[in-house]
Amino acid sequence: MPKKQNCFAYKKNGCKALRVKECEGCICPFFKTKGEYKRGKKEVKKRINSYDEPERSYLIDAYYGGKLKV
Ligand code: SF4
């Protein structure tokens, strides 16, 4: 069973991804290991890069506040 400390979002003071009082650990539907998080982000970048401009810029602005580097 995965430990909450293995979640990509778990830091010393709790979860950095969600507004929760306490980390729910392995029952949390957003639990991902650091490896899963990195692979997922890589897939997202690959998918976004498959679009032409201006769709690519639209997606980056709409879902990542313009801050995703692809
Ligand atoms: S398991 Fe859920 S609540 Fe805990 S750190 Fe990960 S995302 Fe946050």
Side-chain angles (χ1 to χ4, degrees):
M1 188 176 285
K3 293 180 183 173
K4 63 184 179 185
Q5 291 86 350
N6 293 336
C7 180
F8 80 100
Y10 189 82
K11 306 291 180 214
K12 257 187 183 174
N13 298 325
C15 180
K16 296 297 176 196
L18 307 173
R19 289 184 189 162
V20 291
K21 284 186 179 176
E22 200 169 314
C23 172
E24 297 173 1
C26 61
I27 63 162
C28 174
F30 295 96
F31 178 94
K32 283 185 199 171
T33 64
K34 288 180 177 115
E36 289 169 336
Y37 174 74
K38 281 183 182 175
R39 283 191 293 280
K41 201 165 180 179
K42 201 173 173 181
E43 284 298 312
V44 165
K45 287 181 177 184
K46 191 174 165 185
R47 180 73 188 257
I48 287 176
N49 269 326
S50 72
Y51 288 91
D52 293 327
E53 292 290 343
E55 288 84 6
R56 186 183 312 150
S57 290
Y58 170 78
L59 291 170
I60 292 171
D61 288 344
Y63 295 102
Y64 298 93
K67 294 179 181 169
L68 183 72
K69 295 186 191 257
V70 289

